[in-house]
Amino acid sequence: MLGKKFKQLIIPKNLILSVLFVLGVRLAFSLLPSFQIDMGTWLAWAGRLRDLGFDKFYSDTVWTQYTPGYLYWLWVMGKTGIISEVAIKLPVILADIGVGVIIWNLVRKVGKNTALAAFFAYTLNPVVIFNGSVWGQIDGIFTLFLFLAVYLINEKKSVVLGWSMWAIAFLIKPQAFAILPFLVLITLKKYTIKQILKAGIVTLLLILALSIPFFPTNPIFGLPDLINKMSLYYPYTSVFAFNVWTLVGMWKADSTTFLGIQYFYIGIGMYALSLLFLFWKFRNKLDEQKIVYLVVALSWIAFFLFPTRVHERYLFPAYAFLITGSALSKSKALSIFYVVLSFLNFLNLYHPYAYYAQNYLVSKWLLDFTGSASVSIGIGTFLIFLAISFSERFKFLEKINIFSKKNRRTIKNDSKAGRLGNIFMGGKDYVLGMKNLEVKKVNLPHIKLTKKQINILLGVVIAFSFVTRVFMLANPPQEYFDEVYHAFTARQMLHGNKMAWEWWNTPPVGFAYEWTHPPLAKEGMVLGMLVFGENPFGWRIPGALLGVGSVILIYLIARKLFEDDLAGVLAAGVFSLDGLPLVLSRIGMNDSYFLFFALTSIYFYLDNKNRLFKNSNNFLAALTFGLSLASKWSALWAIPIYVAIHFLLKRKLTISYLWFLVLPPLVYVATYIPMFISGHNFSIFIEMQKQMWWYHTNLRATHPYTSPWWSWPFLVRPIWLYTSGRLGDTISNIYAMGNPVVFWFGLGAVVVTAVKGLMERSKKLILVAFAYLIFFVPWALSPRIMFLYHYLPSIPFLAIATGYVLRKHKELIAPVFIVGLVTFIYFYPHLIAMKVPVVFDSSYYWFDSWR
């Protein structure tokens, strides 16, 4: 028995070597420049403690707002004269390694290799390295005591010692409160009342004993008063933390109200609800060792995500608990979440470091990228929180993991796949796993509707789309927003003014000749004016009709993909309720033209078995692709969709594909025939294409309503296209903005569609998600200013994904359409320049960024 205990005390050689290796790596990183603001503060406080002692340290409460726990080490530094960066960073590095060793000790019963992997995953995590070795922050020391508290209590080592560790963690950073509810629950489950009372008394006495030297004249309330002042120091939504508050903006006063409630209290409410949810979800599992670490990790992620006044480093302690829970659960899914979360949080940490630091580590490009991607990073963190919270067995990712043993066995059982697998070495599972995806009918529940009922529903959607797009179409009665370019140039074309084709001319004041896009949309406006007269209705009606056509095309595409009429009607209905395509089909611009012809081309290419067109589908797809390209160059992003359809849906390469090489350029050049007729030669055509390219790749203009690409799915920044100004007690506006119900529910539907596509191995669902992404994500590479309306071509596929989710979950159809319709009617005056009372108009601006 004694020999067995002695054997347990012997530290394995491989762990010793691992610790020495990590120590060397971490020390090497510690040579990089620190975050000078924080490092300078630590060193100054060490000098202040040396000179003034504990009792006078807080005499300057503006500058010294930090609880006493870590100050004891700074006092040692000051008294021993070792006030240096090394004295700050080395204890943090050792603390990180200490946490890693505890994790190793917990996990080694699962397996020696798993234990070492968990040790390295924590100690060499880029967040852990950057925070302690580079930045010079003390979150590693805080986490050590926090982790010891959970370890000692959960493993039933010592409840008194465990709560003593929590007390020290609390004195280092009051954020230790974040795990207090679950630590109390665990203690109540595992210990007797006598043990709990003893631990509680020791905890309070320890906090009091370590606080008194700093508050000798106010021993009871000195610490609470300090913590209260600390909590008031940063009254902002987010202090560089990329969490849910990036949706409204970082560094915004959290006293701002939404629906009469301050952001501060909304944040507290969301955090409290998240804790209640976690308690409800895992209430019967807190006896399981692995679940405790996962729940603590989740509660800490929630603490980072939801309250206001959170800093970028507040997520740090979650990693120790998450990797422990991942290793104990033997879950590949959790391991992937751990890696992704670490990457996202590292980007978050780098942002303030680069924002303030002036040294060679700072990359302006990465600084700009992290700033622009802050909302995406915050939403990514939130999605990880949801994914872990809703997957209590943490096995669901195995279903979509093409590297899993199950899928490898499936592939090896296929003789052809097995032969290929021996050839493709490292990439074999990916290649063969993708091949194993099936082109099959999307699985949908049965809903009994007759063809007549479907036609009635479709007719209602089309009629609704037509009426909402044509009603008050001539309002306002003059060019507005980019109509001063597009519609103005169309009018010049109508009158045969050859300057409409010349980029070098000086236009009339307030207008400009529009040559930066191909001419088809302007020629469509000319046709409308020839029929309806030279007036706003005339130049707007073609785009409005094409907008209705886009609704019909979404029905056709969704019906083709899902082989289900109702799914098509639902997708078309969702699209008809959105404000952005509505507004852009009612204005004399080119977006409605480009979208209609792009969707037409995709439909023809997708529906290659249509009896009506037989073998002419590629001809029609190429023809309409040319028309889309002649409206706007953004049509080029349809090409990856054609490629995806070809490979995902297993199309055969036929001679008809040559139409894509011949027709689009012919159609494109043909739309310039009016320019050639007006006396311009082919060299002018070539030079105009160069001018267009130069314009779009070198545009560095500014605009108050520009918005980055990542913000579009969240409807962060609409575009104010027109305002009449205040007319007595009324006002009329046109905002290019989406229906919040369509945008936000639709974004979730896209995520569900993508995940379902992978889990059910459905190429059609994957195609929908891919088409949604390909039309707006590439804007991340664009150097020019961007607006919400660039998101337009993604909305049809968002609507199709929503149609699929609603068709899959029929109980959601009524509530989504009812709420969506009410929201559409509410915002409709705001979209078409209908006069409304000023008081009512003020209700439209739910967020500051919507103004």
Side-chain angles (χ1 to χ4, degrees), residues 241-244 246 304-305 344 373-383:
F242 294 170
N243 56 19
V244 297
T246 53
F304 173 81
L305 280 171
L344 294 178
S374 59
V375 173
S376 300
I377 294 170
I379 295 301
T381 304
F382 175 67
L383 292 176

Short mmCIF file of all heavy atoms in Angstrom, two decimals, residues 241-244 246 304-305 344 373-383:
data_model
loop_
_atom_site.label_atom_id
_atom_site.label_comp_id
_atom_site.label_asym_id
_atom_site.label_seq_id
_atom_site.Cartn_x
_atom_site.Cartn_y
_atom_site.Cartn_z
N ALA A 241 -13.63 43.82 -25.46
CA ALA A 241 -14.02 42.41 -25.51
C ALA A 241 -14.90 42.19 -26.74
O ALA A 241 -15.89 42.89 -26.92
CB ALA A 241 -14.78 42.01 -24.25
N PHE A 242 -14.53 41.22 -27.56
CA PHE A 242 -15.34 40.88 -28.73
C PHE A 242 -16.43 39.90 -28.29
O PHE A 242 -16.29 38.68 -28.43
CB PHE A 242 -14.48 40.26 -29.83
CG PHE A 242 -13.46 41.20 -30.42
CD1 PHE A 242 -12.48 40.72 -31.27
CD2 PHE A 242 -13.47 42.56 -30.14
CE1 PHE A 242 -11.54 41.56 -31.83
CE2 PHE A 242 -12.53 43.42 -30.68
CZ PHE A 242 -11.55 42.92 -31.53
N ASN A 243 -17.50 40.44 -27.75
CA ASN A 243 -18.60 39.61 -27.27
C ASN A 243 -19.88 40.07 -27.93
O ASN A 243 -19.85 40.73 -28.97
CB ASN A 243 -18.68 39.65 -25.74
CG ASN A 243 -18.81 41.08 -25.21
OD1 ASN A 243 -19.19 42.00 -25.92
ND2 ASN A 243 -18.51 41.26 -23.94
N VAL A 244 -21.04 39.75 -27.37
CA VAL A 244 -22.30 40.10 -28.02
C VAL A 244 -22.50 41.60 -28.10
O VAL A 244 -23.24 42.09 -28.96
CB VAL A 244 -23.50 39.45 -27.30
CG1 VAL A 244 -23.42 37.94 -27.37
CG2 VAL A 244 -23.61 39.92 -25.86
N THR A 246 -20.51 43.78 -29.16
CA THR A 246 -19.93 44.39 -30.37
C THR A 246 -21.01 44.65 -31.41
O THR A 246 -20.80 45.41 -32.35
CB THR A 246 -18.85 43.48 -30.98
OG1 THR A 246 -19.39 42.17 -31.18
CG2 THR A 246 -17.64 43.39 -30.07
N PHE A 304 -18.05 36.16 -20.04
CA PHE A 304 -17.37 36.97 -21.05
C PHE A 304 -18.35 37.53 -22.07
O PHE A 304 -18.20 38.67 -22.53
CB PHE A 304 -16.32 36.12 -21.75
CG PHE A 304 -15.66 36.79 -22.92
CD1 PHE A 304 -14.63 37.70 -22.75
CD2 PHE A 304 -16.08 36.51 -24.22
CE1 PHE A 304 -14.03 38.31 -23.83
CE2 PHE A 304 -15.48 37.12 -25.31
CZ PHE A 304 -14.45 38.03 -25.11
N LEU A 305 -19.36 36.76 -22.43
CA LEU A 305 -20.23 37.11 -23.55
C LEU A 305 -21.28 38.17 -23.23
O LEU A 305 -21.53 39.06 -24.05
CB LEU A 305 -20.96 35.86 -24.05
CG LEU A 305 -20.18 34.92 -24.97
CD1 LEU A 305 -20.98 33.64 -25.19
CD2 LEU A 305 -19.91 35.60 -26.31
N LEU A 344 -10.04 32.54 -31.99
CA LEU A 344 -10.86 33.75 -32.00
C LEU A 344 -10.44 34.69 -30.87
O LEU A 344 -10.31 35.90 -31.07
CB LEU A 344 -12.34 33.38 -31.84
CG LEU A 344 -12.97 32.60 -33.00
CD1 LEU A 344 -14.42 32.26 -32.68
CD2 LEU A 344 -12.88 33.37 -34.31
N ALA A 373 -13.42 42.57 -37.86
CA ALA A 373 -14.01 41.24 -37.64
C ALA A 373 -14.52 41.06 -36.21
O ALA A 373 -14.91 39.95 -35.84
CB ALA A 373 -12.98 40.17 -37.95
N SER A 374 -14.54 42.13 -35.42
CA SER A 374 -14.88 41.98 -34.01
C SER A 374 -16.27 41.39 -33.80
O SER A 374 -16.47 40.54 -32.93
CB SER A 374 -14.78 43.34 -33.29
OG SER A 374 -15.65 44.29 -33.88
N VAL A 375 -17.25 41.81 -34.61
CA VAL A 375 -18.60 41.27 -34.47
C VAL A 375 -18.61 39.78 -34.81
O VAL A 375 -19.20 38.97 -34.10
CB VAL A 375 -19.59 42.04 -35.36
CG1 VAL A 375 -20.95 41.36 -35.34
CG2 VAL A 375 -19.72 43.47 -34.89
N SER A 376 -17.93 39.43 -35.90
CA SER A 376 -17.88 38.02 -36.31
C SER A 376 -17.22 37.16 -35.24
O SER A 376 -17.67 36.04 -34.96
CB SER A 376 -17.11 37.88 -37.63
OG SER A 376 -17.74 38.61 -38.65
N ILE A 377 -16.16 37.67 -34.62
CA ILE A 377 -15.47 36.92 -33.57
C ILE A 377 -16.40 36.75 -32.37
O ILE A 377 -16.48 35.67 -31.77
CB ILE A 377 -14.17 37.63 -33.17
CG1 ILE A 377 -13.18 37.60 -34.35
CG2 ILE A 377 -13.54 36.98 -31.94
CD1 ILE A 377 -11.96 38.46 -34.14
N GLY A 378 -17.10 37.84 -32.02
CA GLY A 378 -18.04 37.75 -30.90
C GLY A 378 -19.16 36.77 -31.16
O GLY A 378 -19.52 35.97 -30.29
N ILE A 379 -19.72 36.79 -32.38
CA ILE A 379 -20.78 35.86 -32.72
C ILE A 379 -20.25 34.43 -32.75
O ILE A 379 -20.92 33.48 -32.34
CB ILE A 379 -21.41 36.23 -34.07
CG1 ILE A 379 -22.11 37.59 -33.96
CG2 ILE A 379 -22.39 35.17 -34.53
CD1 ILE A 379 -23.21 37.64 -32.92
N GLY A 380 -19.01 34.27 -33.24
CA GLY A 380 -18.40 32.94 -33.25
C GLY A 380 -18.27 32.38 -31.85
O GLY A 380 -18.55 31.20 -31.60
N THR A 381 -17.84 33.22 -30.91
CA THR A 381 -17.73 32.79 -29.51
C THR A 381 -19.09 32.41 -28.95
O THR A 381 -19.24 31.40 -28.25
CB THR A 381 -17.10 33.92 -28.67
OG1 THR A 381 -15.84 34.29 -29.23
CG2 THR A 381 -16.90 33.48 -27.23
N PHE A 382 -20.10 33.20 -29.29
CA PHE A 382 -21.46 32.93 -28.84
C PHE A 382 -21.96 31.59 -29.39
O PHE A 382 -22.58 30.80 -28.67
CB PHE A 382 -22.38 34.07 -29.26
CG PHE A 382 -23.83 33.84 -28.96
CD1 PHE A 382 -24.28 33.81 -27.64
CD2 PHE A 382 -24.75 33.65 -29.97
CE1 PHE A 382 -25.62 33.59 -27.35
CE2 PHE A 382 -26.09 33.44 -29.70
CZ PHE A 382 -26.53 33.41 -28.38
N LEU A 383 -21.69 31.33 -30.67
CA LEU A 383 -22.14 30.08 -31.28
C LEU A 383 -21.45 28.87 -30.65
O LEU A 383 -22.06 27.80 -30.49
CB LEU A 383 -21.88 30.11 -32.79
CG LEU A 383 -22.73 31.11 -33.59
CD1 LEU A 383 -22.30 31.10 -35.05
CD2 LEU A 383 -24.21 30.78 -33.46
#
